[in-house]
Amino acid sequence: MPTPTVPRSRILGTGHFLPPLVRTNADLEKMVDTSDSWIRGRTGIRERRIAPDGMVTSDMAAAAAQGALEMAGLHANDIDMILVGTVTPDMPMPATAAFVQQKLGARYCPAFDVSAACAGFLFGMSIADQFIATGQMRHVLVIGVELLSRVIDWTDRSTCVLFGDGAGAAILGPSGAKEGDHEPRGLLSIAIHTDGTTAMALNIPGGGSASPTSHESVDAKLQYVHMKGQDIFKQAVRNLLSASRNALERAGMTKNDIRWVCAHQANKRIIDQVMARVEIGPERVLMNIERVGNTSSASVPILLDENLRTNTIRPGDTVLMCALGAGISWGSAVVRM
Ligand code: ACO
C-alpha cells in the first residue's frame, strides 16, 4: 500500500453516541461468578454502556453521525458515501448503512457495511481515503458501531464482562494539502491487514451458511460471541506492535513525533504492553476502557471524539491509531488532526 507523501484526506468532524444505561462490575457480580477486582485487574474495565430494548445499531450510528456532521459543518445531503464498520448489524440484510442513510435523510449514495470487527473503523477510513484520493467521492461518512450486548451470552463470564455498546463516526474529506505544505493535516499513513488462518479464534458461529439458525443452533448458543481470549491477546500484542511501528515508518515519523495514541480499547493490558514496546509513555495514551469497555469497531472513533470535544486533542496534533479484532483483522494509521 503506497504511503501518501501528501495527505489526500482528512477528518473534518467526529461524533459519538453512548446509550445511557450503565452496567457496572458490581451488576455483573450479581449475574455471573466474577468480581470487580478480577475484571479491573485483567481488563481495566469498571463499567460499560448497554443499549435499551427497542434501540437498534443504526439508531446509535445515526446519532454519532449527526455529531460528526455538525462538527464538520455539513448536512446529510453533503455525504457521498456511507461506510458502517459493524459485526452487530440491525439484521443480516440489508446493510445497516442503508438504514443509517434513511435515518439521516441523506440522498442516495453508496452505503455499505464493513465487517472487520474491532478494526472496522480503520478499514472504513482506509476505503474512504482511497475514494477521496481518486476524486470519486468528496465527503465520506465512516462509522464504527456495535450493539454487542445482544450477541453476548450473559451467563458466560469469560466474554460478558468485556463488551459494551456504542457508536463513533467521522466525516472524511479532501485534505486540500499540496506538495511542500508545512505539517499538512490529514491521514499521513494508513494500513489494514487480515490473517484468516486464525479466523476461528473469535467468532459468532451461528446464523450464517455454516450453521443457519435452527432450534439446535440456538440451544447450542451459536448466536453468541465465542472467543479464545488468550490466543487473541497474544495476536493483539504482536500485530498491534508491528502495525504501530509500520504506521510511524510509513508516515516518516518516530515515536517522539506522536502527540496522542488512540488505540482500540480491548484490554488495558494489551495497550500497556504494546506502548511499552513502542516506548510511548502512558501520558500520551488516551483511554476510556474503564467507562465504556470494549465497544469493538466503535472504540477508536468514540475515544477520538471524546478527546476532540474536550480539546485534549487539538488541531495539528498527531494521533497514532491502531485496532485489532476478529478475522483476525487489524489496522493502524497516523493522522494529523
Ligand atoms: N471472572 C472471574 N474469573 C474469570 C472470568 C471472570 N469474568 N473469566 C475467566 N475467568 C477465569 C478463568 O476461568 C480462568 O480460571 P482457571 O485458571 O481456574 O481456569 C482464569 O480466570 C484465567 O482465565 P484466562 O482466560 O486465562 O484469563 P486472561 O488473563 O487471558 O484474561 C481476557 C481473559 C480478559 C479475555 C484476555 O484474554 C483478553 O483480553 N483477551 C483479548 C480480548 C480481545 O482483545 N478481543 C479482541 C477484540 S473483540 C472483537 O473483535 C469483537
Side-chain angles (χ1 to χ4, degrees):
M1 206 176 298
T3 304
T5 46
V6 177
R8 296 140 355 159
S9 67
R10 79 176 180 93
I11 295 175
L12 304 175
T14 58
H16 80 274
F17 174 82
L18 287 166
L21 181 67
V22 175
R23 187 164 291 169
T24 64
N25 291 348
D27 296 329
L28 289 171
E29 284 176 353
K30 294 176 199 135
M31 297 165 68
V32 288
D33 180 16
T34 191
S35 66
D36 175 54
S37 68
W38 191 97
I39 302 170
R40 275 194 291 116
R42 296 283 174 136
T43 70
I45 301 167
R46 262 179 211 276
E47 60 189 38
R48 69 288 293 146
R49 299 299 183 93
I50 305 292
D53 290 348
M55 182 177 283
V56 294
T57 303
S58 60
D59 293 331
M60 297 198 298
Q66 288 288 5
L69 283 169
E70 278 162 32
M71 192 191 282
L74 294 170
H75 296 104
N77 272 339
D78 297 319
I79 300 169
D80 298 315
M81 184 158 78
I82 301 173
L83 305 175
V84 175
T86 190
V87 291
T88 50
D90 286 13
M91 52 188 78
M93 185 175 77
T96 299
F99 292 115
V100 173
Q101 185 194 67
Q102 183 196 62
K103 285 175 184 177
L104 290 175
R107 62 184 163 80
Y108 302 158
C109 65
F112 57 97
D113 294 356
V114 178
S115 181
C118 306
F121 179 74
L122 286 177
F123 272 57
M125 283 224 306
S126 179
I127 297 167
D129 184 53
Q130 300 295 325
F131 273 94
I132 292 166
T134 62
Q136 273 199 66
M137 304 288 174
R138 192 165 170 79
H139 298 130
V140 181
L141 170 61
V142 182
I143 300 171
V145 58
E146 302 292 358
L147 210 162
L148 288 154
S149 62
R150 304 255 167 91
V151 294
I152 295 299
D153 176 1
W154 288 101
T155 65
D156 174 12
R157 70 175 183 174
S158 69
T159 53
C160 78
V161 301
L162 303 174
F163 299 104
D165 300 332
I171 309 270
L172 271 69
S175 72
K178 299 178 301 299
E179 198 78 49
D181 279 358
H182 179 65
E183 300 196 338
R185 296 170 74 183
L187 272 66
L188 302 173
S189 77
I190 186 155
I192 53 177
H193 313 270
T194 300
D195 173 4
T197 62
T198 45
M200 289 306 281
L202 177 52
N203 58 58
I204 299 174
S209 60
S211 300
T213 305
S214 64
H215 289 296
E216 291 73 24
S217 76
V218 172
D219 289 346
K221 299 189 170 186
L222 300 187
Q223 70 275 31
Y224 294 132
V225 170
H226 295 247
M227 182 172 79
K228 293 179 185 147
Q230 285 191 0
D231 290 359
I232 298 282
F233 194 103
K234 287 177 203 149
Q235 295 279 351
V237 173
R238 193 174 66 234
N239 291 320
L240 291 177
L241 178 61
S242 62
S244 299
R245 286 178 173 152
N246 271 339
L248 292 174
E249 204 174 303
R250 284 164 184 268
M253 290 186 167
T254 71
K255 60 183 195 291
N256 299 327
D257 298 315
I258 295 298
R259 180 69 189 89
W260 300 110
V261 174
C262 186
H264 170 42
Q265 307 283 293
N267 186 319
K268 183 177 183 301
R269 289 187 298 140
I270 294 175
I271 298 170
D272 288 349
Q273 290 188 23
V274 173
M275 288 308 138
R277 290 177 209 187
V278 183
E279 296 177 11
I280 293 182
E283 71 288 351
R284 288 190 281 158
V285 181
L286 303 168
M287 299 291 285
N288 66 5
I289 191 170
E290 191 179 42
R291 285 183 289 111
V292 304
N294 179 349
T295 58
S296 188
S297 66
S299 176
V300 167
I302 291 174
L303 188 62
L304 185 66
D305 185 53
E306 283 184 344
N307 285 283
L308 282 167
R309 284 174 192 273
T310 54
N311 270 330
T312 305
I313 301 176
R314 304 179 70 87
D317 282 357
T318 44
V319 180
L320 169 64
M321 301 178 187
C322 58
L324 176 141
I328 284 172
S329 291
W330 68 98
S332 59
V334 173
V335 181
R336 187 175 285 114
M337 297 301 301

